[in-house]
Amino acid sequence: MKQIVQRTKYYILILLIAFTGLLYFGKDDIFAKTGFGTISAGDHEENYDLSDNTASGNDVSGEITGGDVSGTAVSGNDVSGADITDGDISGNSVIDRQKYMTVTEDYLDDALFIGDSRTVGLHDYAKLDNTTFYASTGLTVYKMFTAKIATIPGSKKKVTIEEALEQQKFSKIYIMVGINEMGTGTAETFKQKYSERIERIKELQPDAIIYIQSIMLVTTERSNKGDYINNEGIIERNNAIAELADGERVFYLNVNEAVADETGGLVSEYTFDGVHLKAAYVDIWKNYLLEHAIQLEE
Amino acid sequence: MIFNSIEFILYFLPVFLVVYYITPDKLKNYILVAGSMVFYAFGEPWYIFLLMGSMALAFFSGRAISQERNSSKKSKRALYILAMLLQILLLLFFKCAPVLVRVSAAKSIGLPLGISFYTFQILSYLTDVYLGRIQGERTFTDLAVYISMFPKISAGPIVGYGDIAGEIKKRKVTVVNFDDGLKTFLYGLILKVLLADKLSILWHEIQTAGFVSISTPLAWIGAFTFSMQLYFDFYGYSLMAIGLGKMLGFSLPENFDNPYMAKSVREFYRRWHITLGKWFTRYVYIPLGGSRKGILKTIRNLAVVWFLTSFWHGAGINFFAWGMSLCLFILLERILDRKNLLEKSHVFGHLYILFVIPLTWVCFAISDSREMAVYFGRLFGFIRGTNVKPGDYLQTLSNYGFYLLAGGFFCTPLAGKVYDKIKNNIFGMFALAVLFWLCIDSIMKAGNNPFMYLRF
């Protein structure tokens, strides 16, 4: 008897593991998507979110339409269909291309940047101290209005971007999202959601200029890795969201013009991981924005 | 297959263990070899044949050069040299191919799993047979167990055949071993997944920002982080190997002994990757004469060992920079510190190591010489930073402080002692079970490729 009792203690750990395992696998049924260890999107602005990496794109799964946007089916006048760097494909009319001006940094003092970790890089290294950033690693067009990553001056509480836009006024709003949505939905569904966001932003900020920035490319090497992050897909989506520009209040900025190389990917020297610009090179992005600014006539 | 993966922990291992435990003792080695082949072939379908070829070569040459055989000394010697050369050339080829073929992640592309480790063990086997220390193994399965057993094939510990032959032939598999091995395995898994992998994210962030853009405090944090990440990665993996060995009835030797508690570089390398150090000592350093043939020969012998050690880690300039600087420190210590004052000191030795070793790891970590120069430039302030974010290290400390502190704690012997206490306590075990599932959760989200899970 004593032997059996003595021996059982060696089974305790493995049994506990099995037992807690049941709980672990069971909890997914108990709780919703925000499960064990999942930090709600955009917890820390500058944090690499170590939790689940799918966009909570539940609202678009299965809604894949047959409308596959190809690289050439794009509106706008400066279509160069074969241009790998999605060159001048934009929704901009000829008129507003002439409106692009070069401005100084104070142009961005009343600007807002919404974006994912690439925008976080801009925040960290571009020395735009007067600009507002609502950016977070992992941000997607789906989470854009639900992630609590914004703060209102004077309050420490984190609110959603939508709430912040209700309470603050910006003259320019720059958006760059899209890399995290690769692998979820299609270019069309992405564009659809993006369009909804733009509409809402227009409602909340009727006087603001909205800049849709192209999803920044990745290096060709990174693109060739064989996963859902590839430049063909990025360009497809860029072409889709470019159509959302109206040339009056919503504009499309092809940032990739400044950072792409002749192979159609991000310049390798500019990045370590193939996805993010190194700190020393974010100025290239910033300068591109400053050289493609719109001033609306009053 | 790697240990920290779902396929290993939740599929392969449970199935294997069940089969292994119900198999009668006489047949266990067959099961072990079969299982190890499955384990190895899982990620490396073609390289399994390379492994099998190496095992066959080792077996047949071992038999042929064995003392008991009646062939001439000369032919034995020739055969020994031939077999050794073949095995060495094979390793050389794979070591150099990534560098010559200009692939970016030289570490993971092209190099067959565990080739550095199993090659060294084969070399030690052939040498021991040739020198008459052991007999050439007659049973192929037994030799195959030695070379390919999955607990140690990927990353050691490196053992000599003589040290493990007894257990290969006859070992006891008990529930005590199982439980003890499981606890050791868990400890290793936790160190690897919940510490090393998290710290590696910090280092990755620093690389992403670009070395020229980090502040000096952050550069130092980076050096310490990499030092800890590398340690917990390797130490964790070694513990998993040892734990698995225990579960199967083997007692594999320890590979790390709180290396960051060392007080001299010599001592550090007696505590870091212990089995590799022992291999070089036994098969290179001592045969060359060790330190018994005067100072010049000692210098030569140390240089040879460190040259080979550097190359074993990788065929890049940075590995030589790493290895030869260590060699230099060791030589300086031998010459200047004959009275062993460093190791006798209470504080100075520790500070010395905590300053020197992370700097050597910086060489180890950065393969591009220009980038390495930039990093040292930022460490010591002689290169000006570009676009450095003010207070970047504060942000890092706030995000990773917990892991850095935990890392520091686990570098001390206290961590092991605490673990030994809690692992047998019911609450402790419950905590371990929870931590285990945390690890699984982390692995599932990471998807094994450490950089796939980084959200952009």
Side-chain angles (χ1 to χ4, degrees), chain B residues 61-339:
Chain B
S61 13
R63 294 275 286 127
I65 65 183
S66 190
Q67 289 293 348
E68 58 194 24
R69 291 287 230 101
N70 272 333
S71 32
S72 75
K73 260 198 168 188
K74 271 199 181 171
S75 63
K76 278 193 194 175
R77 186 154 177 247
L79 190 53
Y80 166 67
I81 293 177
L82 186 64
M84 292 284 283
L85 268 177
L86 264 171
Q87 203 61 57
I88 292 173
L89 282 172
L90 208 58
L91 178 62
L92 267 176
F93 171 75
F94 282 105
K95 274 277 186 231
C96 297
V99 175
L100 297 175
V101 177
R102 291 304 227 109
V103 182
S104 57
K107 188 179 70 156
S108 51
I109 296 179
L111 203 62
L113 181 68
I115 192 170
S116 309
F117 294 92
Y118 73 69
T119 298
F120 267 37
Q121 287 171 105
I122 291 175
L123 296 177
S124 78
Y125 169 73
L126 291 173
T127 307
D128 286 342
V129 171
Y130 179 67
L131 293 176
R133 292 173 185 159
I134 55 178
Q135 302 279 38
E137 178 54 59
R138 284 192 166 152
T139 315
F140 181 73
T141 339
D142 290 356
L143 186 64
V145 166
Y146 168 64
I147 296 172
S148 72
M149 59 182 283
F150 71 84
K152 70 172 174 68
I153 188 164
S154 354
I158 297 171
V159 297
Y161 189 68
D163 302 325
I164 202 176
E167 282 173 343
I168 294 180
K169 306 261 178 218
K170 189 175 159 138
R171 59 189 175 275
K172 260 180 143 197
V173 176
T174 66
V175 68
V176 183
N177 294 148
F178 169 75
D179 183 58
D180 193 28
L182 180 63
K183 287 168 179 166
T184 305
F185 178 84
L186 270 183
Y187 190 48
L189 183 69
I190 290 168
L191 288 181
K192 165 101 178 85
V193 175
L194 298 181
L195 255 189
D197 288 352
K198 303 295 192 223
L199 289 172
S200 76
I201 304 174
L202 199 179
W203 176 246
H204 189 254
E205 278 183 12
I206 291 179
Q207 290 174 298
T208 303
F211 297 146
V212 77
S213 305
I214 58 177
S215 65
T216 298
L218 186 57
W220 281 97
I221 293 176
F224 288 123
T225 300
F226 185 82
S227 308
M228 287 198 288
Q229 166 204 332
L230 187 66
Y231 172 49
F232 294 125
D233 201 275
F234 204 174
Y235 179 41
Y237 217 79
S238 297
L239 282 176
M240 287 195 265
I242 293 169
L244 289 169
K246 258 188 246 184
M247 287 196 253
L248 305 183
F250 293 96
S251 46
L252 297 172
E254 64 173 359
N255 232 356
F256 292 89
D257 177 19
N258 294 305
Y260 291 124
M261 303 305 293
K263 290 188 266 197
S264 72
V265 178
R266 281 167 295 161
E267 190 189 351
F268 183 80
Y269 279 90
R270 288 196 291 267
R271 291 167 173 255
W272 178 282
H273 203 176
I274 297 171
T275 58
L276 184 72
K278 285 196 172 159
W279 191 98
F280 273 112
T281 304
R282 194 176 150 129
Y283 297 100
V284 179
Y285 190 63
I286 290 183
L288 283 177
S291 51
R292 285 162 200 258
K293 298 221 172 141
I295 188 71
L296 283 177
K297 288 252 167 89
T298 304
I299 293 176
R300 177 202 68 179
N301 296 340
L302 279 173
V304 169
V305 166
W306 278 102
F307 177 85
L308 292 173
T309 302
S310 313
F311 189 72
W312 184 90
H313 284 87
I317 302 263
N318 63 308
F319 293 110
F320 288 109
W322 165 77
M324 297 328 279
S325 358
L326 287 167
C327 185
L328 184 65
F329 274 104
I330 289 173
L331 279 169
L332 287 174
E333 283 176 11
R334 268 179 175 266
I335 297 170
L336 300 174
D337 185 22
R338 279 180 213 244
K339 289 195 187 158

Side-chain angles (χ1 to χ4, degrees), chain A residues 17 24 48 50 52 117 124 279, chain B residues 205 209 387 437 441 455-456:
Chain A
I17 289 177
Y24 173 70
Y48 270 114
L50 305 176
D52 95 72
S117 58
D124 287 349
Chain B
E205 278 183 12
N387 281 357
W437 289 108
D441 193 63
R455 297 204 335 184
F456 306 114

Side-chain angles (χ1 to χ4, degrees), chain A residues 140-158:
Chain A
T140 64
V141 75
Y142 306 105
K143 296 189 213 176
M144 200 189 285
F145 285 163
T146 53
K148 287 194 198 287
I149 59 172
T151 43
I152 316 277
S155 161
K156 283 211 168 164
K157 205 180 76 158
K158 292 242 186 223

